[in-house]
Amino acid sequence: MLCKRLLPTLQSCLQRVPLRPFLAPVDTPTDFLVAPRLLTGVTPDWDKDNVQGWIAAQHRSALLPLSQLGISWQRCDR
């Protein structure tokens, strides 16, 4: 879960994919952001102050620039 205040900072590091939002199985729009070796998905959360997000990286070194954003990671799949 990401605080909505972090979203503009995250968007400044990544490029928005110029597509209509993808509708996940529960019809919540998912926007995709990309950078070299990174793919991020962002979707609204039930709590209006937060958004759900996930980040996939080709290699963990691609996550290093995001470490300065102050995101509290809930899970890291290896």
Side-chain angles (χ1 to χ4, degrees):
M1 192 171 324
L2 298 167
C3 180
K4 271 191 177 177
R5 292 177 313 197
L6 287 176
L7 197 52
T9 306
L10 184 62
Q11 290 172 333
S12 72
C13 301
L14 305 168
Q15 292 287 331
R16 182 175 298 278
V17 176
L19 298 172
R20 290 182 308 197
F22 171 76
L23 295 178
V26 291
D27 291 332
T28 55
T30 300
D31 290 314
F32 295 101
L33 306 165
V34 295
R37 302 179 315 183
L38 280 176
L39 174 63
T40 303
V42 179
T43 190
D45 190 53
W46 295 105
D47 178 0
K48 301 286 186 202
D49 294 330
N50 295 310
V51 292
Q52 293 286 330
W54 53 264
I55 299 172
Q58 184 178 12
H59 189 271
R60 65 174 39 181
S61 64
L63 298 170
L64 191 57
L66 301 178
S67 66
Q68 299 177 17
L69 296 180
I71 298 171
S72 61
W73 302 97
Q74 290 182 346
R75 188 173 95 198
C76 179
D77 298 333
R78 298 174 197 211

